[in-house]
Amino acid sequence: MRPKTHIAQTDPFRWEDVPVLAYKEEKGTHFKSITRQVLFDDADHFDTQLRYFEIAPGGHSTLERHDHAHSVMVIRGSGRALVEREVIDLALHDLVRVPPQTWHQFQATGAEPLGFLCIVRRERDKPALPTEKDLASLRSDPAVASFIRV
Ligand code: MN
Protein backbone atom coordinates (compact mmCIF):
# COMPACT_ATOMS: atom_id res chain seq x y z
CA MET A 1 0.00 0.00 0.00
CA ARG A 2 1.20 3.47 -0.85
CA PRO A 3 2.11 5.56 2.16
CA LYS A 4 -0.28 8.40 2.87
CA THR A 5 0.57 11.79 1.43
CA HIS A 6 -0.90 13.77 4.29
CA ILE A 7 -0.93 12.75 7.94
CA ALA A 8 -2.92 15.24 9.97
CA GLN A 9 -2.19 16.19 13.54
CA THR A 10 -5.06 14.91 15.71
CA ASP A 11 -4.05 16.45 19.05
CA PRO A 12 -0.99 18.48 19.94
CA PHE A 13 2.05 16.26 19.18
CA ARG A 14 -0.14 13.36 18.06
CA TRP A 15 -0.80 12.31 14.47
CA GLU A 16 -3.40 10.30 12.57
CA ASP A 17 -2.68 6.54 12.71
CA VAL A 18 0.74 7.07 14.31
CA PRO A 19 0.83 4.81 17.38
CA VAL A 20 2.23 6.21 20.61
CA LEU A 21 4.69 3.55 21.74
CA ALA A 22 6.42 3.02 25.04
CA TYR A 23 10.12 3.65 24.53
CA LYS A 24 12.22 0.44 24.62
CA GLU A 25 10.44 -2.49 26.08
CA GLU A 26 13.45 -4.71 26.81
CA LYS A 27 14.46 -5.14 30.41
CA GLY A 28 17.66 -3.67 31.73
CA THR A 29 17.41 -0.30 30.01
CA HIS A 30 17.39 2.80 32.15
CA PHE A 31 14.72 5.26 31.20
CA LYS A 32 11.71 6.96 32.67
CA SER A 33 8.41 8.10 31.15
CA ILE A 34 9.13 8.25 27.41
CA THR A 35 6.94 7.74 24.39
CA ARG A 36 8.07 7.21 20.81
CA GLN A 37 6.21 7.88 17.56
CA VAL A 38 7.66 6.94 14.18
CA LEU A 39 6.56 9.76 11.89
CA PHE A 40 8.37 8.76 8.69
CA ASP A 41 9.67 5.29 7.89
CA ASP A 42 9.72 5.09 4.11
CA ALA A 43 12.20 2.36 3.21
CA ASP A 44 11.59 2.81 -0.54
CA HIS A 45 12.99 6.32 -0.59
CA PHE A 46 15.04 6.97 2.53
CA ASP A 47 17.61 5.22 4.67
CA THR A 48 16.45 7.18 7.69
CA GLN A 49 13.51 7.39 10.06
CA LEU A 50 12.06 10.48 11.67
CA ARG A 51 10.78 9.83 15.17
CA TYR A 52 9.12 12.02 17.79
CA PHE A 53 10.04 11.34 21.41
CA GLU A 54 8.37 12.79 24.43
CA ILE A 55 9.86 12.67 27.91
CA ALA A 56 7.44 13.41 30.77
CA PRO A 57 8.39 16.14 33.28
CA GLY A 58 11.14 14.80 35.51
CA GLY A 59 11.82 11.89 33.14
CA HIS A 60 14.94 11.01 31.19
CA SER A 61 16.19 8.86 28.33
CA THR A 62 18.66 6.00 28.61
CA LEU A 63 22.32 6.91 29.02
CA GLU A 64 23.77 5.08 26.03
CA ARG A 65 26.10 5.13 23.05
CA HIS A 66 26.18 3.36 19.68
CA ASP A 67 27.67 3.47 16.18
CA HIS A 68 24.75 5.34 14.65
CA ALA A 69 24.26 9.09 14.99
CA HIS A 70 21.23 11.18 15.96
CA SER A 71 20.08 14.60 14.74
CA VAL A 72 17.61 16.14 17.17
CA MET A 73 15.34 19.19 17.21
CA VAL A 74 13.41 20.22 20.32
CA ILE A 75 9.78 21.02 19.44
CA ARG A 76 8.14 20.96 22.88
CA GLY A 77 9.14 22.06 26.35
CA SER A 78 12.66 22.39 27.65
CA GLY A 79 15.32 20.15 29.06
CA ARG A 80 18.95 19.26 29.26
CA ALA A 81 21.15 16.88 27.35
CA LEU A 82 24.48 15.21 27.88
CA VAL A 83 26.56 14.64 24.75
CA GLU A 84 29.82 12.91 25.70
CA ARG A 85 31.10 15.28 28.44
CA GLU A 86 29.01 18.32 27.55
CA VAL A 87 25.88 19.19 29.57
CA ILE A 88 23.62 21.33 27.38
CA ASP A 89 20.57 23.43 28.32
CA LEU A 90 17.88 22.88 25.71
CA ALA A 91 15.34 25.48 24.66
CA LEU A 92 12.50 25.18 22.19
CA HIS A 93 13.73 24.66 18.61
CA ASP A 94 17.34 24.03 19.60
CA LEU A 95 19.24 21.44 17.58
CA VAL A 96 21.48 18.72 19.02
CA ARG A 97 23.95 16.58 17.12
CA VAL A 98 24.88 13.23 18.66
CA PRO A 99 27.87 11.78 16.78
CA PRO A 100 28.62 8.03 16.69
CA GLN A 101 29.90 6.47 19.92
CA THR A 102 29.19 9.47 22.14
CA TRP A 103 27.43 8.98 25.48
CA HIS A 104 24.10 10.78 25.45
CA GLN A 105 21.08 11.30 27.66
CA PHE A 106 18.10 13.69 27.56
CA GLN A 107 16.12 15.00 30.55
CA ALA A 108 12.90 17.00 30.75
CA THR A 109 13.29 19.93 33.13
CA GLY A 110 10.13 22.02 32.77
CA ALA A 111 6.48 21.55 33.73
CA GLU A 112 5.78 20.47 30.15
CA PRO A 113 7.09 17.28 28.52
CA LEU A 114 10.32 17.57 26.53
CA GLY A 115 9.44 16.67 22.94
CA PHE A 116 11.99 16.27 20.18
CA LEU A 117 12.25 15.08 16.61
CA CYS A 118 15.07 12.63 16.00
CA ILE A 119 16.51 11.50 12.68
CA VAL A 120 18.20 8.11 12.74
CA ARG A 121 19.48 5.53 10.24
CA ARG A 122 16.94 2.76 9.58
CA GLU A 123 19.58 0.02 9.88
CA ARG A 124 21.39 0.59 13.12
CA ASP A 125 23.30 -1.10 15.89
CA LYS A 126 21.91 -1.73 19.35
CA PRO A 127 22.72 0.87 22.00
CA ALA A 128 25.35 -0.03 24.59
CA LEU A 129 24.81 0.88 28.23
CA PRO A 130 27.66 2.14 30.41
CA THR A 131 29.66 -0.36 32.43
CA GLU A 132 30.71 0.48 35.99
CA LYS A 133 34.07 1.51 34.54
CA ASP A 134 32.40 3.80 31.98
CA LEU A 135 30.28 5.35 34.74
CA ALA A 136 33.34 5.96 36.91
CA SER A 137 35.05 7.65 33.99
CA LEU A 138 31.99 9.81 33.20
CA ARG A 139 31.62 10.72 36.88
CA SER A 140 35.17 12.02 37.06
CA ASP A 141 33.66 15.24 35.67
CA PRO A 142 31.47 16.81 38.42
CA ALA A 143 29.03 18.40 35.95
CA VAL A 144 28.53 15.05 34.24
CA ALA A 145 28.31 13.23 37.59
CA SER A 146 25.46 15.46 38.76
CA PHE A 147 23.64 15.12 35.43
CA ILE A 148 23.54 11.42 34.68
CA ARG A 149 20.65 9.18 35.77
CA VAL A 150 21.13 5.43 35.63
MN1 MN B 1 20.64 6.92 21.23
mmCIF file of all heavy atoms in Angstrom, residues 65-101:
data_model
loop_
_atom_site.group_PDB
_atom_site.id
_atom_site.type_symbol
_atom_site.label_atom_id
_atom_site.label_comp_id
_atom_site.label_asym_id
_atom_site.label_seq_id
_atom_site.Cartn_x
_atom_site.Cartn_y
_atom_site.Cartn_z
ATOM 1 N N ARG A 65 25.346 4.736 24.236
ATOM 2 C CA ARG A 65 26.099 5.129 23.049
ATOM 3 C C ARG A 65 26.011 4.001 22.036
ATOM 4 O O ARG A 65 25.660 2.866 22.371
ATOM 5 C CB ARG A 65 27.545 5.481 23.382
ATOM 6 C CG ARG A 65 28.395 4.318 23.808
ATOM 7 C CD ARG A 65 29.842 4.771 24.056
ATOM 8 N NE ARG A 65 30.612 3.664 24.585
ATOM 9 C CZ ARG A 65 31.875 3.769 24.989
ATOM 10 N NH1 ARG A 65 32.507 4.929 24.938
ATOM 11 N NH2 ARG A 65 32.515 2.716 25.446
ATOM 12 N N HIS A 66 26.315 4.326 20.777
ATOM 13 C CA HIS A 66 26.178 3.365 19.681
ATOM 14 C C HIS A 66 26.856 3.926 18.446
ATOM 15 O O HIS A 66 27.268 5.100 18.433
ATOM 16 C CB HIS A 66 24.695 3.072 19.411
ATOM 17 C CG HIS A 66 23.788 4.261 19.586
ATOM 18 N ND1 HIS A 66 23.880 5.376 18.781
ATOM 19 C CD2 HIS A 66 22.809 4.539 20.495
ATOM 20 C CE1 HIS A 66 22.973 6.262 19.168
ATOM 21 N NE2 HIS A 66 22.322 5.793 20.219
ATOM 22 N N ASP A 67 26.972 3.062 17.412
ATOM 23 C CA ASP A 67 27.673 3.472 16.185
ATOM 24 C C ASP A 67 26.869 4.469 15.351
ATOM 25 O O ASP A 67 27.437 5.224 14.574
ATOM 26 C CB ASP A 67 27.983 2.249 15.306
ATOM 27 C CG ASP A 67 29.119 1.413 15.871
ATOM 28 O OD1 ASP A 67 29.925 1.969 16.649
ATOM 29 O OD2 ASP A 67 29.181 0.216 15.550
ATOM 30 N N HIS A 68 25.550 4.420 15.459
ATOM 31 C CA HIS A 68 24.747 5.344 14.649
ATOM 32 C C HIS A 68 24.672 6.716 15.319
ATOM 33 O O HIS A 68 24.909 6.846 16.520
ATOM 34 C CB HIS A 68 23.358 4.775 14.349
ATOM 35 C CG HIS A 68 22.530 4.436 15.545
ATOM 36 N ND1 HIS A 68 22.630 3.242 16.216
ATOM 37 C CD2 HIS A 68 21.565 5.142 16.192
ATOM 38 C CE1 HIS A 68 21.763 3.225 17.212
ATOM 39 N NE2 HIS A 68 21.098 4.370 17.230
ATOM 40 N N ALA A 69 24.348 7.712 14.507
ATOM 41 C CA ALA A 69 24.255 9.095 14.988
ATOM 42 C C ALA A 69 22.791 9.491 15.138
ATOM 43 O O ALA A 69 21.894 8.805 14.630
ATOM 44 C CB ALA A 69 24.946 10.014 13.987
ATOM 45 N N HIS A 70 22.559 10.583 15.861
ATOM 46 C CA HIS A 70 21.226 11.177 15.961
ATOM 47 C C HIS A 70 21.316 12.646 15.573
ATOM 48 O O HIS A 70 22.306 13.311 15.887
ATOM 49 C CB HIS A 70 20.695 11.175 17.402
ATOM 50 C CG HIS A 70 20.453 9.846 18.009
ATOM 51 N ND1 HIS A 70 19.691 8.874 17.422
ATOM 52 C CD2 HIS A 70 20.834 9.334 19.206
ATOM 53 C CE1 HIS A 70 19.629 7.824 18.231
ATOM 54 N NE2 HIS A 70 20.321 8.075 19.312
ATOM 55 N N SER A 71 20.262 13.153 14.917
ATOM 56 C CA SER A 71 20.077 14.599 14.743
ATOM 57 C C SER A 71 18.742 14.941 15.376
ATOM 58 O O SER A 71 17.715 14.353 15.024
ATOM 59 C CB SER A 71 20.048 14.977 13.257
ATOM 60 O OG SER A 71 21.279 14.665 12.670
ATOM 61 N N VAL A 72 18.774 15.886 16.306
ATOM 62 C CA VAL A 72 17.612 16.138 17.173
ATOM 63 C C VAL A 72 17.187 17.603 17.081
ATOM 64 O O VAL A 72 18.041 18.499 17.005
ATOM 65 C CB VAL A 72 17.990 15.771 18.639
ATOM 66 C CG1 VAL A 72 16.987 16.320 19.634
ATOM 67 C CG2 VAL A 72 18.140 14.264 18.786
ATOM 68 N N MET A 73 15.873 17.835 17.092
ATOM 69 C CA MET A 73 15.335 19.192 17.213
ATOM 70 C C MET A 73 14.244 19.201 18.279
ATOM 71 O O MET A 73 13.290 18.414 18.212
ATOM 72 C CB MET A 73 14.726 19.674 15.900
ATOM 73 C CG MET A 73 14.216 21.098 15.992
ATOM 74 S SD MET A 73 13.221 21.546 14.572
ATOM 75 C CE MET A 73 13.652 23.254 14.401
ATOM 76 N N VAL A 74 14.397 20.093 19.244
ATOM 77 C CA VAL A 74 13.407 20.220 20.321
ATOM 78 C C VAL A 74 12.182 20.952 19.764
ATOM 79 O O VAL A 74 12.312 22.038 19.198
ATOM 80 C CB VAL A 74 13.994 21.021 21.505
ATOM 81 C CG1 VAL A 74 12.949 21.221 22.601
ATOM 82 C CG2 VAL A 74 15.229 20.314 22.066
ATOM 83 N N ILE A 75 10.995 20.341 19.918
ATOM 84 C CA ILE A 75 9.781 21.020 19.441
ATOM 85 C C ILE A 75 8.735 21.195 20.550
ATOM 86 O O ILE A 75 7.654 21.707 20.318
ATOM 87 C CB ILE A 75 9.151 20.336 18.202
ATOM 88 C CG1 ILE A 75 8.681 18.907 18.513
ATOM 89 C CG2 ILE A 75 10.111 20.355 17.024
ATOM 90 C CD1 ILE A 75 7.768 18.331 17.414
ATOM 91 N N ARG A 76 9.081 20.746 21.765
ATOM 92 C CA ARG A 76 8.143 20.956 22.884
ATOM 93 C C ARG A 76 8.936 21.024 24.188
ATOM 94 O O ARG A 76 9.819 20.194 24.425
ATOM 95 C CB ARG A 76 7.151 19.791 22.954
ATOM 96 C CG ARG A 76 6.126 19.962 24.042
ATOM 97 C CD ARG A 76 5.106 18.851 24.058
ATOM 98 N NE ARG A 76 3.991 19.233 24.897
ATOM 99 C CZ ARG A 76 2.945 18.477 25.170
ATOM 100 N NH1 ARG A 76 2.863 17.271 24.658
ATOM 101 N NH2 ARG A 76 1.978 18.904 25.934
ATOM 102 N N GLY A 77 8.586 22.002 25.007
ATOM 103 C CA GLY A 77 9.144 22.065 26.350
ATOM 104 C C GLY A 77 10.616 22.459 26.378
ATOM 105 O O GLY A 77 11.140 23.060 25.453
ATOM 106 N N SER A 78 11.248 22.084 27.472
ATOM 107 C CA SER A 78 12.661 22.390 27.649
ATOM 108 C C SER A 78 13.311 21.256 28.423
ATOM 109 O O SER A 78 12.629 20.431 29.029
ATOM 110 C CB SER A 78 12.833 23.713 28.398
ATOM 111 O OG SER A 78 12.222 23.608 29.666
ATOM 112 N N GLY A 79 14.621 21.232 28.376
ATOM 113 C CA GLY A 79 15.317 20.146 29.064
ATOM 114 C C GLY A 79 16.808 20.346 29.050
ATOM 115 O O GLY A 79 17.304 21.457 28.838
ATOM 116 N N ARG A 80 17.494 19.251 29.308
ATOM 117 C CA ARG A 80 18.945 19.259 29.257
ATOM 118 C C ARG A 80 19.404 17.987 28.567
ATOM 119 O O ARG A 80 18.683 16.982 28.567
ATOM 120 C CB ARG A 80 19.541 19.280 30.672
ATOM 121 C CG ARG A 80 19.197 20.531 31.460
ATOM 122 C CD ARG A 80 20.096 20.688 32.669
ATOM 123 N NE ARG A 80 20.010 19.536 33.566
ATOM 124 C CZ ARG A 80 20.876 19.285 34.544
ATOM 125 N NH1 ARG A 80 21.915 20.079 34.731
ATOM 126 N NH2 ARG A 80 20.720 18.243 35.326
ATOM 127 N N ALA A 81 20.590 18.067 27.991
ATOM 128 C CA ALA A 81 21.150 16.878 27.350
ATOM 129 C C ALA A 81 22.608 16.745 27.732
ATOM 130 O O ALA A 81 23.299 17.745 27.972
ATOM 131 C CB ALA A 81 21.029 16.978 25.836
ATOM 132 N N LEU A 82 23.053 15.503 27.789
ATOM 133 C CA LEU A 82 24.478 15.206 27.881
ATOM 134 C C LEU A 82 24.903 14.653 26.535
ATOM 135 O O LEU A 82 24.254 13.739 26.009
ATOM 136 C CB LEU A 82 24.739 14.158 28.961
ATOM 137 C CG LEU A 82 26.191 13.672 29.055
ATOM 138 C CD1 LEU A 82 27.071 14.723 29.702
ATOM 139 C CD2 LEU A 82 26.285 12.353 29.811
ATOM 140 N N VAL A 83 25.960 15.220 25.946
ATOM 141 C CA VAL A 83 26.561 14.638 24.754
ATOM 142 C C VAL A 83 28.056 14.511 25.050
ATOM 143 O O VAL A 83 28.752 15.519 25.168
ATOM 144 C CB VAL A 83 26.317 15.483 23.483
ATOM 145 C CG1 VAL A 83 26.984 14.825 22.275
ATOM 146 C CG2 VAL A 83 24.820 15.662 23.223
ATOM 147 N N GLU A 84 28.470 13.263 25.238
ATOM 148 C CA GLU A 84 29.821 12.910 25.704
ATOM 149 C C GLU A 84 30.111 13.554 27.059
ATOM 150 O O GLU A 84 29.618 13.048 28.046
ATOM 151 C CB GLU A 84 30.885 13.242 24.648
ATOM 152 C CG GLU A 84 32.177 12.464 24.857
ATOM 153 C CD GLU A 84 32.009 10.936 24.809
ATOM 154 O OE1 GLU A 84 31.069 10.449 24.175
ATOM 155 O OE2 GLU A 84 32.830 10.234 25.427
ATOM 156 N N ARG A 85 30.826 14.677 27.131
ATOM 157 C CA ARG A 85 31.099 15.284 28.441
ATOM 158 C C ARG A 85 30.432 16.653 28.569
ATOM 159 O O ARG A 85 30.689 17.385 29.521
ATOM 160 C CB ARG A 85 32.619 15.463 28.646
ATOM 161 C CG ARG A 85 33.414 14.173 28.523
ATOM 162 C CD ARG A 85 33.040 13.225 29.646
ATOM 163 N NE ARG A 85 33.588 11.897 29.447
ATOM 164 C CZ ARG A 85 34.481 11.322 30.239
ATOM 165 N NH1 ARG A 85 34.946 11.962 31.280
ATOM 166 N NH2 ARG A 85 34.901 10.101 29.987
ATOM 167 N N GLU A 86 29.615 16.982 27.590
ATOM 168 C CA GLU A 86 29.009 18.316 27.549
ATOM 169 C C GLU A 86 27.570 18.271 28.059
ATOM 170 O O GLU A 86 26.755 17.513 27.522
ATOM 171 C CB GLU A 86 29.039 18.810 26.096
ATOM 172 C CG GLU A 86 28.835 20.280 25.933
ATOM 173 C CD GLU A 86 28.858 20.701 24.449
ATOM 174 O OE1 GLU A 86 29.289 19.892 23.593
ATOM 175 O OE2 GLU A 86 28.424 21.817 24.158
ATOM 176 N N VAL A 87 27.258 19.079 29.071
ATOM 177 C CA VAL A 87 25.881 19.194 29.568
ATOM 178 C C VAL A 87 25.283 20.451 28.936
ATOM 179 O O VAL A 87 25.816 21.548 29.083
ATOM 180 C CB VAL A 87 25.832 19.273 31.097
ATOM 181 C CG1 VAL A 87 24.408 19.483 31.588
ATOM 182 C CG2 VAL A 87 26.416 17.997 31.717
ATOM 183 N N ILE A 88 24.178 20.264 28.216
ATOM 184 C CA ILE A 88 23.621 21.326 27.376
ATOM 185 C C ILE A 88 22.215 21.679 27.871
ATOM 186 O O ILE A 88 21.396 20.785 28.082
ATOM 187 C CB ILE A 88 23.529 20.830 25.908
ATOM 188 C CG1 ILE A 88 24.907 20.372 25.405
ATOM 189 C CG2 ILE A 88 22.942 21.885 25.000
ATOM 190 C CD1 ILE A 88 24.826 19.404 24.236
ATOM 191 N N ASP A 89 21.934 22.985 28.034
ATOM 192 C CA ASP A 89 20.568 23.435 28.319
ATOM 193 C C ASP A 89 19.817 23.526 27.004
ATOM 194 O O ASP A 89 20.299 24.161 26.064
ATOM 195 C CB ASP A 89 20.586 24.814 28.979
ATOM 196 C CG ASP A 89 20.957 24.723 30.446
ATOM 197 O OD1 ASP A 89 20.449 23.811 31.135
ATOM 198 O OD2 ASP A 89 21.774 25.549 30.895
ATOM 199 N N LEU A 90 18.635 22.927 26.959
ATOM 200 C CA LEU A 90 17.878 22.879 25.713
ATOM 201 C C LEU A 90 16.651 23.765 25.773
ATOM 202 O O LEU A 90 15.821 23.619 26.680
ATOM 203 C CB LEU A 90 17.419 21.448 25.432
ATOM 204 C CG LEU A 90 18.506 20.416 25.159
ATOM 205 C CD1 LEU A 90 17.871 19.050 24.994
ATOM 206 C CD2 LEU A 90 19.280 20.809 23.916
ATOM 207 N N ALA A 91 16.525 24.650 24.803
ATOM 208 C CA ALA A 91 15.335 25.479 24.661
ATOM 209 C C ALA A 91 14.580 25.037 23.413
ATOM 210 O O ALA A 91 15.112 24.299 22.568
ATOM 211 C CB ALA A 91 15.734 26.945 24.560
ATOM 212 N N LEU A 92 13.346 25.507 23.330
ATOM 213 C CA LEU A 92 12.500 25.181 22.189
ATOM 214 C C LEU A 92 13.217 25.492 20.876
ATOM 215 O O LEU A 92 13.797 26.569 20.729
ATOM 216 C CB LEU A 92 11.207 25.998 22.299
ATOM 217 C CG LEU A 92 10.040 25.560 21.434
ATOM 218 C CD1 LEU A 92 9.577 24.152 21.808
ATOM 219 C CD2 LEU A 92 8.895 26.550 21.592
ATOM 220 N N HIS A 93 13.184 24.536 19.967
ATOM 221 C CA HIS A 93 13.732 24.656 18.611
ATOM 222 C C HIS A 93 15.249 24.563 18.540
ATOM 223 O O HIS A 93 15.827 24.745 17.471
ATOM 224 C CB HIS A 93 13.209 25.912 17.887
ATOM 225 C CG HIS A 93 11.720 25.911 17.752
ATOM 226 N ND1 HIS A 93 10.956 27.050 17.788
ATOM 227 C CD2 HIS A 93 10.849 24.880 17.619
ATOM 228 C CE1 HIS A 93 9.677 26.725 17.678
ATOM 229 N NE2 HIS A 93 9.586 25.423 17.578
ATOM 230 N N ASP A 94 15.901 24.294 19.655
ATOM 231 C CA ASP A 94 17.344 24.032 19.605
ATOM 232 C C ASP A 94 17.600 22.730 18.848
ATOM 233 O O ASP A 94 16.738 21.845 18.794
ATOM 234 C CB ASP A 94 17.914 23.881 21.019
ATOM 235 C CG ASP A 94 18.142 25.217 21.706
ATOM 236 O OD1 ASP A 94 17.854 26.272 21.092
ATOM 237 O OD2 ASP A 94 18.602 25.199 22.865
ATOM 238 N N LEU A 95 18.795 22.640 18.305
ATOM 239 C CA LEU A 95 19.239 21.441 17.583
ATOM 240 C C LEU A 95 20.367 20.781 18.361
ATOM 241 O O LEU A 95 21.195 21.472 18.955
ATOM 242 C CB LEU A 95 19.746 21.826 16.185
ATOM 243 C CG LEU A 95 18.802 22.654 15.316
ATOM 244 C CD1 LEU A 95 19.505 23.040 14.010
ATOM 245 C CD2 LEU A 95 17.522 21.875 15.016
ATOM 246 N N VAL A 96 20.403 19.466 18.337
ATOM 247 C CA VAL A 96 21.475 18.723 19.015
ATOM 248 C C VAL A 96 22.000 17.660 18.063
ATOM 249 O O VAL A 96 21.216 16.926 17.447
ATOM 250 C CB VAL A 96 20.980 18.014 20.298
ATOM 251 C CG1 VAL A 96 22.147 17.310 21.001
ATOM 252 C CG2 VAL A 96 20.302 18.988 21.241
ATOM 253 N N ARG A 97 23.309 17.600 17.960
ATOM 254 C CA ARG A 97 23.950 16.578 17.122
ATOM 255 C C ARG A 97 24.614 15.564 18.049
ATOM 256 O O ARG A 97 25.427 15.934 18.896
ATOM 257 C CB ARG A 97 24.974 17.264 16.212
ATOM 258 C CG ARG A 97 25.709 16.338 15.288
ATOM 259 C CD ARG A 97 26.647 17.094 14.362
ATOM 260 N NE ARG A 97 25.911 17.708 13.270
ATOM 261 C CZ ARG A 97 25.981 18.991 12.945
ATOM 262 N NH1 ARG A 97 26.745 19.810 13.634
ATOM 263 N NH2 ARG A 97 25.291 19.459 11.932
ATOM 264 N N VAL A 98 24.264 14.307 17.881
ATOM 265 C CA VAL A 98 24.882 13.229 18.665
ATOM 266 C C VAL A 98 25.708 12.376 17.711
ATOM 267 O O VAL A 98 25.162 11.562 16.959
ATOM 268 C CB VAL A 98 23.810 12.362 19.374
ATOM 269 C CG1 VAL A 98 24.474 11.233 20.157
ATOM 270 C CG2 VAL A 98 22.932 13.211 20.287
ATOM 271 N N PRO A 99 27.021 12.559 17.696
ATOM 272 C CA PRO A 99 27.867 11.781 16.784
ATOM 273 C C PRO A 99 27.963 10.312 17.214
ATOM 274 O O PRO A 99 27.600 9.982 18.350
ATOM 275 C CB PRO A 99 29.245 12.461 16.892
ATOM 276 C CG PRO A 99 29.018 13.746 17.606
ATOM 277 C CD PRO A 99 27.800 13.530 18.467
ATOM 278 N N PRO A 100 28.454 9.441 16.331
ATOM 279 C CA PRO A 100 28.615 8.035 16.688
ATOM 280 C C PRO A 100 29.480 7.866 17.940
ATOM 281 O O PRO A 100 30.437 8.617 18.147
ATOM 282 C CB PRO A 100 29.334 7.429 15.467
ATOM 283 C CG PRO A 100 28.947 8.330 14.335
ATOM 284 C CD PRO A 100 28.833 9.698 14.930
ATOM 285 N N GLN A 101 29.129 6.878 18.739
ATOM 286 C CA GLN A 101 29.905 6.475 19.924
ATOM 287 C C GLN A 101 30.095 7.581 20.960
ATOM 288 O O GLN A 101 31.102 7.605 21.671
ATOM 289 C CB GLN A 101 31.265 5.883 19.515
ATOM 290 C CG GLN A 101 31.148 4.485 18.920
ATOM 291 C CD GLN A 101 30.454 3.483 19.842
ATOM 292 O OE1 GLN A 101 30.457 3.616 21.067
ATOM 293 N NE2 GLN A 101 29.819 2.480 19.253
#
